[in-house]
């Protein structure tokens, strides 16, 4: 695995992987902690790797922004002639085949605004090492296939940093002269450097104990600032549920004596699974009903679960190199999705996951940075922590379970851990375990790991009257991409069903079968073109295709609007019921975009389908809320080239108003029915009721229904929870009600001291769908609660504006583009990871009208021309500019 020479401008290729020339069996680290100057002494027990292809290679250690004080080999200072710098590497010559390397470096944590390596976060010091942050702490062969045991000694001022934490178990603590103290931690499990972590700060914790299925007691602690202790209970309960679920579902038990979670407001990502010391963005830990929405509660539960599940799928078995990132992330996303599905509504969770995939990952597949779930090349690995690697990766894992069945998948996972516990492995190793445990050939399935873009599945229907057989013909294709051209067809699981004339589910029986088949049939496509014949179906049997979204593909089938209405109202598969309603609304909106916003005749079918859902009291209220959703303006734009910003906005807003006006009575009734008579709860039924209540309220306010606005005002004033308060405020602000400004002022006054809640306040204003929002966002950047150095604030204000408010961002005069471009240029000097995420709304610049395209290209060129541009931003900007020239 090559070092990033020239600051990573040259691509690193998967095919160039080589085993490490040197291994590090054990690491002793000593930290003399201070925010302005921390001294790190590292003792590395190194030896040549007998499996290396180059047994003469010098020892290469990576390091970035380190002030090197000394380097020694077996206690002897290494003279300058025996070490040289090569990009981010220090190359040491004439090192014995087995040696102890000692380095001493100085760091400045309070000057580290990139939030990688060791940095200051409020009154604390903490680390973030994935993917390549450890090289910002000390010299080390910083790659995931170098796995070591660690002993860590932390020393700091006791008054300033009373809590000292690292991975594993604490084995020694003590006090020192000068008001200082120390703690020594050991981790007996070999781990890659990206899983290393320390935390030092003035923190307090809630504690609990979990008794494993094997009878061991695990001490659980969740740390935060003292004022937030009463908001940690949900996180603790979620952790215990995750530990129990992993034992019950997969037989996986926790392996250390302690499990710690730290909440911080300064974090680039959601959370990090460092062995026994998870560091979390506070938004995924802190929750109570007054400050967190129902979505926040579910996200806390899911992310707590995700990071815990990494203990086995990521820590005990890790990835050999960063090209294999989906091995741990795709698998663990799948596991956290299943965790939430088992605890809450499986149908609604599936819909939400696929909606998220379509909104976030499908555009990646169609964009300039399109890549396979196991990329073949990268310049900056931070740019590949993507929806493709994570969410599409989870869909690929889900397909494995679909092909093998839950029991077969469990057998495969058991064999995977049996073979590879304590190893750094590849996606091929995972598939081999699945195949071997089930005696299945999955070699063709492996193509999913290499294909780029969203596959398309075209389906046609025919009826053979002479034989009384229904025929479905399938044809799969891949986008035109160099990596796809010699790939061949995919192994694709496709679940199908049929509805009869009375909308009843029908048995799906193959023509060659003698007994009735199941109501949902799994077909496994392996050829570019396939034909299936079914018997005992009426000629007008209505196909329900790709049930449960059994493969992550674009489905192409010519349903009539009337057929979509039937599926939306009666399909027994909840996902396909939702997808049919979405397809029907897409057809309506497509015609409205062409007709200047005037609803077509088929809108009546959508009204009837929504009316049926609103009046069906047997349905899960959360499912009804999903059935009442429309595709976003961004999703509609993604389907069009050129993009007409104003026409899309006018059509979508017009349809919301039309539906609200025509279903006002039903929406008021369901809103009333969804009011909570009992005390607030975060359980499934209560959250489902609030979900439907607020969905109906949003539609009423979109249509400027006077009773809807009255209810929104009352709900805002009387709400006893953040879900209802925020939903009401959003309705008033986004639909320009006279109480909107008053609600914003009251909300700010009440929560100005709470960083996470103020993020919601920023986001509501950043997404007001009007051109003037550009000026509002510019002004809010000067608000005392906003900081460009805080990733959560940047995402809440600038991210929400650029990614969720197309009307304002795509303002015709380019003001939105200028605001984003200026921010990216400034932010890149502070935090390249966050800047790189923020620049992605420019990716489809060439799909807009000439005036807008020129403005966006100008901002991209201005960013690209900056000196000392980070590889994070440069890679994305360069790809976007190249895409526009094709």
């Amino acid at each position: 695995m090559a070092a990033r020479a020239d600051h990573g401008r040259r691509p690193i290729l998967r095919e160039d992987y080589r085993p490490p020339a040197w291994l590090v069996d054990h690491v002793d680290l000593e930290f003399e902690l201070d925010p302005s100057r921390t001294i790190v002494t590292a003792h590395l027990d190194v030896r040549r790797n007998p499996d290396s292809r180059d047994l003469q290679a010098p020892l290469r250690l990576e390091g970035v922004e380190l002030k090197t004080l000394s380097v020694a080999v077996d206690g002897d200072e290494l003279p300058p002639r025996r070490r040289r710098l090569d990009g981010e590497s220090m190359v040491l010559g004439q090192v014995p085949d087995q040696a102890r390397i000692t380095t001493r470096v100085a760091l400045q944590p309070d000057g580290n605004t990139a939030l990688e390596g060791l940095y200051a976060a409020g009154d604390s010091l903490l680390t973030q090492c994935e993917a390549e942050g450890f090289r910002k702490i000390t010299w080390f062969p910083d790659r995931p296939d170098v796995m070591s045991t660690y002993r860590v000694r932390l020393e700091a001022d006791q008054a300033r940093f009373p809590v000292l934490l690292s991975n594993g178990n604490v084995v020694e603590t003590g006090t020192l002269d000068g008001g200082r103290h120390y703690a020594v931690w050991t981790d007996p499990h070999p781990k890659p450097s990206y899983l290393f972590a320390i935390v030092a700060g003035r923190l307090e914790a809630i504690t609990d104990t979990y008794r494993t299925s094997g009878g061991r007691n695990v001490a659980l602690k969740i740390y935060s600032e003292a004022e937030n202790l009463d908001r940690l209970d949900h996180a603790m309960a979620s952790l215990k549920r995750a530990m129990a679920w992993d034992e019950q579902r997969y037989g996986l038990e926790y392996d250390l004596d302690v499990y710690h979670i730290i909440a911080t407001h300064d974090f680039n990502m959601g959370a990090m699974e460092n062995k026994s010391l998870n560091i979390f963005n506070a938004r995924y830990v802190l929750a109570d009903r007054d400050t967190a929405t129902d979505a926040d509660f579910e996200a806390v539960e899911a992310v707590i679960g995700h990071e815990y599940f990494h203990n086995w799928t990521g820590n005990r078995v890790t990835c050999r190199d960063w090209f294999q990132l989906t091995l741990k992330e795709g698998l663990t996303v799948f596991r956290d999705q299943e965790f939430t599905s088992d605890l809450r509504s499986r149908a609604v969770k599936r819909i939400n996951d696929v909606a998220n995939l379509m909104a976030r990952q499908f555009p990646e597949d169609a964009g300039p940075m399109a890549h396979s779930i196991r990329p073949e090349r990268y310049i900056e690995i931070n740019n590949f922590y993507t929806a493709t690697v994570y969410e599409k990766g989870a869909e690929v894992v889900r397909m494995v379970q679909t092909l093998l069945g839950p029991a077969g998948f469990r057998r495969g996972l058991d064999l995977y851990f049996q073979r590879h516990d304590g190893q750094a492995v590849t996606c091929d190793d995972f598939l081999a375990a699945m195949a071997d445990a089930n005696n299945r050939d999955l070699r063709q399935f492996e193509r999913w790991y290499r294909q780029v873009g969203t596959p398309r599945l075209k389906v046609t229907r025919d009826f053979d009257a002479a034989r009384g057989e229904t025929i479905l013909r399938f044809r799969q294709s891949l986008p035109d991409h160099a990596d796809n051209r010699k790939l061949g067809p995919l192994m694709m699981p496709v679940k199908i069903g049929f509805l009869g004339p009375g909308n009843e589910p029908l048995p799906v029986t193959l023509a060659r079968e003698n007994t009735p088949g199941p109501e949902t049939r799994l077909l496994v496509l392996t050829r570019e073109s396939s034909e299936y014949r079914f018997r005992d179906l009426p000629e007008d049997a209505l196909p329900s295709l790709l049930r449960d979204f059994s493969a992550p593909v674009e489905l192409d089938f010519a349903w009539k609007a009337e057929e979509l209405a039937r599926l939306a109202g009666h399909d027994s598969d909840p996902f396909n019921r939702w997808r049919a309603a979405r397809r029907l609304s897409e057809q309506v909106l497509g015609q409205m975009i062409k007709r200047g916003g005037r609803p077509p005749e088929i809108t009546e079918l959508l009204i009837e389908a929504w009316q049926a859902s609103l009046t069906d009291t047997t349905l899960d209220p959360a499912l009804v809320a999903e059935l009442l959703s429309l595709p976003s303006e961004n999703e509609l734009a993604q389907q069009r080239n050129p993009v007409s910003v104003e026409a899309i906005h006018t059509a979508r807003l017009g349809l919301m108003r039309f539906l609200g006006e025509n279903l006002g009575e039903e929406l008021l009734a369901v809103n009333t029915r969804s009011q909570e008579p009992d005390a607030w709860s975060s359980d499934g039924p209560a959250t489902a009721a609030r979900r439907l209540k607020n969905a109906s309220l949003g539609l009423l306010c979109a249509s400027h229904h006077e009773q809807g606005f009255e209810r929104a005002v009352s709900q805002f004033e009387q709400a006893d929870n953040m879900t209802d308060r925020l939903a009401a405020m959003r309705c008033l602000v986004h639909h320009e009600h006279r109480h909107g400004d008053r609600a914003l002022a009251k909300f700010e006054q009440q929560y100005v001291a709470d960083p996470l809640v103020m993020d919601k306040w920023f986001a509501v204003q950043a997404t007001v769908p009007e051109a003037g929002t550009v000026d509002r966002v510019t002004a809010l950047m000067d608000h005392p609660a906003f900081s460009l150095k805080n990733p959560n604030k940047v995402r809440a204000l600038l991210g929400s504006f650029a990614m969720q408010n197309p009307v304002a961002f795509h303002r015709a005069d380019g003001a939105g583009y200028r605001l984003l471009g200026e921010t990216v240029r400034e932010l890149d000097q502070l935090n390249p990871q966050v800047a790189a995420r923020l620049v992605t709304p420019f990716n489809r610049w060439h799909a807009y009208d000439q005036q807008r395209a020129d403005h966006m290209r100008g901002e991209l060129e201005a960013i690209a021309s900056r000196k000392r541009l980070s590889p994070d931003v440069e890679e994305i900007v360069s790809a976007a500019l190249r895409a526009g020239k094709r």
Side-chain angles (χ1 to χ4, degrees):
M1 203 158 78
R4 292 187 305 166
D6 305 325
H7 293 282
R9 266 55 174 184
R10 290 185 291 126
I12 299 172
L13 307 180
R14 185 172 74 90
E15 65 183 16
D16 289 343
Y17 171 83
R18 299 292 183 273
W22 292 80
L23 301 176
V24 182
D25 292 322
H26 180 73
V27 181
D28 270 307
L29 290 172
E30 300 166 10
F31 287 81
E32 301 167 49
L33 292 166
D34 183 87
S36 60
R37 182 178 169 83
T38 288
I39 304 298
V40 182
T41 303
H43 306 280
L44 314 181
D45 292 338
V46 305
R47 61 182 171 90
R48 284 196 180 277
N49 181 6
D51 296 327
S52 171
R53 301 183 189 181
D54 185 357
L55 297 179
Q56 303 302 316
L59 177 61
R60 182 180 290 268
L61 307 176
E62 277 76 58
V64 176
E65 299 170 9
L66 303 175
K67 183 177 181 181
T68 304
L69 305 178
S70 65
V71 180
V73 177
D74 290 332
D76 295 327
E77 185 77 18
L78 200 66
R81 63 181 172 79
R82 288 179 55 194
R83 54 186 166 106
R84 63 181 174 85
L85 294 180
D86 177 16
E88 292 186 354
S89 298
M90 178 169 63
V91 183
L92 307 184
Q94 301 176 39
V95 175
D97 288 354
Q98 190 162 346
R100 168 161 274 217
I101 307 298
T102 301
T103 61
R104 187 173 170 83
V105 302
L107 316 174
Q108 186 187 348
D110 60 8
N112 182 355
T113 59
L115 311 187
E116 291 181 292
L118 177 66
Y119 64 93
D123 294 329
S124 298
L125 298 176
L126 49 85
T127 55
Q128 170 56 31
C129 293
E130 188 176 357
E132 296 176 339
F134 193 70
R135 64 187 63 187
K136 291 189 173 185
I137 295 173
T138 190
W139 291 103
F140 195 80
D142 189 16
R143 45 189 288 168
D145 55 354
V146 174
M147 301 178 70
S148 317
T149 57
Y150 282 72
R151 178 185 182 276
V152 180
R153 185 183 187 277
L154 306 175
E155 178 186 320
D157 181 272
Q158 187 164 15
R160 191 169 185 180
F161 303 108
V163 174
L164 300 174
L165 304 172
S166 189
N167 310 92
N169 301 316
V170 64
V171 294
E172 184 181 346
T173 60
T175 57
L176 302 167
D177 294 340
R180 296 176 71 78
H181 72 137
Y182 72 93
V184 179
W185 293 79
T186 62
D187 186 352
H189 298 283
K191 64 173 179 285
S193 54
Y194 81 84
L195 290 172
F196 171 80
I198 67 167
V199 174
R202 191 179 295 111
L203 301 167
E204 295 191 20
I206 64 168
T207 63
D208 206 335
T209 301
Y210 181 80
R211 189 166 183 81
T212 70
S213 57
R216 292 186 308 104
N217 288 329
V218 180
L220 311 178
K221 287 188 177 182
I222 303 182
Y223 290 84
S224 73
E225 301 89 349
E227 62 269 22
N228 290 322
L229 285 179
D230 60 349
R231 296 162 67 181
L232 301 177
D233 291 341
H234 177 65
M236 182 64 82
S238 298
L239 174 58
K240 295 179 74 173
R241 283 193 290 269
M243 297 176 84
W245 182 87
D246 219 16
E247 291 178 346
Q248 294 159 8
R249 179 74 176 265
Y250 294 114
L252 300 176
E253 186 177 320
Y254 188 63
D255 52 6
L256 286 172
D257 298 332
V258 298
Y259 193 93
H260 295 158
I261 291 174
I262 314 297
T264 177
H265 290 282
D266 297 287
F267 203 69
N268 282 340
M269 299 179 287
M272 181 60 212
E273 70 269 18
N274 315 299
K275 186 75 177 183
S276 79
L277 182 57
N278 290 184
I279 299 177
F280 271 64
N281 190 320
R283 66 179 295 192
Y284 296 115
V285 178
L286 306 182
D288 64 18
R289 77 180 194 181
D290 186 54
T291 59
T293 64
D294 292 337
D296 293 330
F297 271 86
E298 183 171 326
V300 168
E301 183 178 71
V303 178
I304 291 279
H306 180 96
E307 304 308 326
Y308 174 76
F309 301 146
H310 264 313
N311 186 58
W312 279 91
T313 50
N315 296 4
R316 291 284 290 261
V317 183
T318 194
C319 48
R320 182 194 72 179
D321 53 70
W322 291 120
F323 297 103
Q324 318 294 330
L325 182 59
T326 198
L327 174 71
K328 74 184 186 76
E329 296 300 347
L331 177 54
T332 306
V333 169
F334 167 75
R335 276 156 46 73
D336 84 53
Q337 290 175 348
E338 287 295 286
F339 172 60
T340 301
S341 296
D342 284 348
L343 266 59
R344 295 175 182 266
S345 166
R346 177 166 290 273
V348 173
K349 175 62 176 169
R350 187 67 184 132
I351 290 168
N352 291 163
D353 288 339
V354 178
N356 177 57
L357 185 84
M358 292 177 169
R360 293 179 57 240
Q361 195 278 322
F362 278 22
E364 278 184 7
D365 266 352
M369 289 285 289
H371 55 279
S372 56
I373 66 169
R374 183 185 58 195
E376 296 297 327
R377 64 197 65 82
Y378 65 79
I379 291 177
E380 173 52 64
I381 186 56
N382 287 331
N383 288 335
F384 288 83
Y385 283 73
T386 60
T388 299
V389 167
Y390 279 63
E391 278 76 22
K392 184 175 179 178
E395 293 299 318
V396 171
V397 173
R398 185 175 297 277
M399 285 191 289
V400 174
Q401 178 170 275
T402 299
L403 290 167
L404 303 179
F409 185 81
R410 170 66 189 272
R411 284 193 299 273
L413 205 58
D414 288 347
L415 182 59
Y416 174 64
F417 293 131
Q418 179 185 326
R419 285 178 173 178
H420 302 298
D421 189 12
Q423 298 178 13
V425 299
T426 68
C427 298
D428 292 333
D429 293 318
F430 171 77
L431 273 186
M434 289 289 163
D436 293 348
N438 292 278
N439 196 26
R440 290 285 295 271
D441 185 349
L442 295 179
R443 285 175 294 179
Q444 184 179 3
F445 185 84
E446 184 271 341
R447 295 172 186 172
W448 278 102
Y449 286 84
R450 290 184 281 145
Q451 68 86 206
V452 178
T454 306
R456 180 170 292 274
L457 181 63
K458 183 176 179 59
V459 186
T460 57
R461 169 184 51 180
D462 203 352
F463 189 76
D464 184 339
R467 300 171 64 175
E469 294 175 354
T470 296
I471 306 169
L472 290 181
R473 296 185 176 93
F474 299 85
R475 183 175 181 82
Q476 57 169 290
S477 60
L478 293 172
D480 183 20
H481 189 280
D483 290 351
N484 291 338
R485 287 170 193 158
K486 296 182 179 180
L487 199 59
L490 303 174
M491 178 182 285
M492 189 179 295
V494 178
K495 293 181 179 180
I496 67 165
F498 288 93
L499 274 66
N503 297 317
E504 71 281 8
L506 299 174
V508 185
T509 310
L510 292 170
R512 63 178 181 270
E513 294 177 334
N514 296 320
T515 58
E519 292 179 0
T520 296
R521 161 80 65 169
L522 174 64
L523 307 176
V524 181
L525 311 183
T526 57
R527 299 177 181 177
E528 184 177 327
S529 298
S530 306
E531 177 181 295
Y532 288 86
R533 289 174 170 261
F534 307 93
R535 65 194 258 309
D536 300 335
L537 293 174
E539 184 173 356
D540 59 352
L542 177 59
S544 170
L545 305 174
L546 205 66
R547 284 185 159 179
D548 200 40
F549 198 64
S550 57
V553 301
E554 288 271 18
L555 179 63
D556 180 0
F557 182 81
W559 280 291
K560 299 175 183 177
E562 293 79 8
E563 292 175 323
L564 290 172
R566 286 175 58 196
L567 291 169
H570 304 285
D571 199 326
S572 59
D573 182 75
F575 170 79
N576 267 11
R577 187 169 183 172
W578 169 83
R579 190 67 185 103
R582 271 296 180 94
R583 290 182 187 278
L584 180 56
S585 64
E586 287 167 3
Q587 286 191 9
V588 171
L589 285 163
Q591 293 190 35
M592 290 179 71
I593 290 168
K594 295 177 182 177
R595 293 159 52 97
R598 289 182 293 112
E601 290 184 11
I602 61 172
T603 311
E604 291 301 321
L605 294 171
L606 185 61
I607 290 173
E608 291 172 10
W610 279 31
Q611 190 173 42
S613 297
L614 284 165
T615 55
D616 187 348
T617 57
T618 66
L619 289 178
D620 176 359
L623 176 59
V624 176
E626 295 302 328
L627 294 172
L628 300 181
S629 64
L630 295 175
S632 70
E633 290 178 33
N634 281 335
E635 290 173 277
L636 294 168
Q638 187 66 31
Q639 299 165 7
R640 288 163 173 77
N641 189 355
V643 177
S644 178
V645 176
E646 291 83 4
I648 289 172
H649 176 67
T650 298
R652 189 176 185 279
L653 182 60
L655 181 57
M656 287 180 68
R657 288 178 174 170
F658 188 79
L659 291 166
E661 289 166 359
N662 283 270
L663 295 169
E665 193 173 311
E666 289 86 351
L667 290 167
L668 282 171
V670 80
N671 184 267
T672 300
R673 191 169 71 239
S674 301
Q675 301 294 326
E676 300 163 79
D678 303 320
W680 179 91
S681 169
S682 64
D683 66 14
T687 59
R690 284 191 293 273
R691 199 167 189 166
L692 180 55
K693 175 179 66 177
N694 289 316
S696 61
L697 183 68
L699 287 163
L700 287 166
C701 290
S703 64
H704 288 237
H705 195 292
E706 192 55 40
Q707 278 187 266
F709 277 136
E710 289 174 3
R711 293 191 180 198
V713 171
S714 174
Q715 181 170 308
F716 178 79
E717 296 294 341
Q718 299 176 20
D720 67 349
N721 65 85
M722 179 54 68
T723 302
D724 288 346
R725 185 178 297 112
L726 185 65
M729 182 172 73
R730 185 181 293 112
C731 286
L732 297 172
V733 173
H734 282 202
H735 300 295
E736 303 177 275
H737 191 269
R738 61 185 182 277
H739 286 281
D741 288 341
R742 191 169 72 184
L744 284 170
K746 184 173 181 179
F747 193 95
E748 178 189 17
Q749 182 181 22
Q750 185 171 353
Y751 295 108
V752 69
D754 190 309
L756 293 179
V757 181
M758 286 301 289
D759 289 345
K760 304 179 193 303
W761 184 79
F762 282 123
V764 166
Q765 296 178 82
T767 50
V768 174
E770 61 185 28
T773 298
V774 179
D775 306 309
R776 186 197 291 252
V777 170
T778 303
L780 285 170
M781 291 180 71
D782 292 325
H783 191 282
F786 180 81
S787 171
L788 201 61
K789 293 181 179 179
N790 181 269
N792 283 350
K793 292 290 177 287
V794 173
R795 286 186 282 260
L797 184 60
L798 279 306
S800 296
F801 163 72
M803 299 176 188
Q804 300 175 37
N805 193 348
V807 167
F809 177 61
H810 293 291
R811 204 169 88 176
D813 64 359
Y817 309 144
R818 288 192 294 275
L819 173 60
L820 188 68
E822 291 166 2
T823 302
V824 168
R825 291 192 286 275
E826 182 179 358
L827 187 58
D828 188 49
Q829 307 305 306
L830 299 170
N831 192 324
Q833 275 193 54
V834 177
R837 293 290 190 269
L838 202 60
V839 79
T840 56
F842 287 134
N843 279 349
R844 287 194 80 219
W845 63 271
H846 48 84
Y848 289 78
D849 60 78
Q850 193 64 52
Q851 181 182 2
R852 288 182 167 96
D854 287 346
H855 283 310
M856 283 191 270
R857 185 181 62 233
E859 291 302 324
L860 287 168
E861 290 172 344
I863 294 169
S865 67
R866 282 188 68 90
K867 295 181 179 179
R868 297 180 62 82
L869 188 66
S870 72
D872 309 60
V873 172
E874 184 187 48
E875 182 174 22
I876 293 175
V877 168
S878 298
L881 287 170
R882 286 196 303 271
K885 296 177 182 177
R886 293 172 187 166

